[in-house]
């Protein structure tokens, strides 16, 4: 049997240092869940995790959808956090 390792290239093959979910972007209002990642490519990226119902309707679609990239950091992003009271996002890096 041949086995192939699945590789996810979310930050241009560089490490992801932080992940945080937006508690205010709920499944009921938007469909799915939104989360942010910060990584070694100096970017913060915003993603949407699809619901199981969406995956049942179209199994060919990926479970994670890319929404946006925030690219104002000049060095790797060490941490991303959504506010506990709003959908505001903060990030911190080596710059």
């Amino acid at each position: 049997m041949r086995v192939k390792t699945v590789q996810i290239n979310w930050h241009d093959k560089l490490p992801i240092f932080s992940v945080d979910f937006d508690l205010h972007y709920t499944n009921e209002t938007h469909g799915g869940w939104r989360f942010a990642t910060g990584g070694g490519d100096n970017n913060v990226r915003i993603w949407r995790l699809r619901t199981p119902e969406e995956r049942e309707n179209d199994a060919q679609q990926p479970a994670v959808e890319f929404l946006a990239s925030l690219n104002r950091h000049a060095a790797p992003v060490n941490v991303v956090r959504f506010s506990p009271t709003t959908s505001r996002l903060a990030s911190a890096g080596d710059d």
Side-chain angles (χ1 to χ4, degrees):
M1 176 189 301
R2 296 190 131 188
V3 177
K4 184 175 180 181
T5 303
V6 176
Q7 184 174 9
I8 300 172
N9 295 317
W10 287 4
H11 281 265
D12 300 329
K13 297 185 181 180
L14 294 170
I16 295 173
F17 297 126
S18 182
V19 177
D20 195 38
F21 279 83
D22 183 0
L23 300 178
H24 298 281
Y25 188 95
T26 62
N27 184 23
E28 292 79 28
T29 56
H30 299 288
W33 298 271
R34 182 169 61 178
F35 65 99
T37 58
D41 64 347
N42 308 350
N43 292 320
V44 174
R45 299 192 184 200
I46 311 297
W47 309 87
R48 185 174 78 90
L49 183 62
R50 297 179 188 270
T51 64
E53 293 80 20
E54 287 178 291
R55 297 282 295 145
E56 281 181 12
N57 294 337
D58 191 358
Q60 298 300 323
Q61 291 292 325
V64 176
E65 175 186 5
F66 174 75
L67 298 177
S69 182
L70 311 173
N71 55 8
R72 294 292 185 175
H73 281 279
V77 179
N78 296 324
V79 65
V80 292
R81 290 291 179 266
F82 282 100
S83 167
T85 57
T86 66
S87 285
R88 290 186 184 179
L89 177 66
S91 63
D94 289 339
D95 48 351

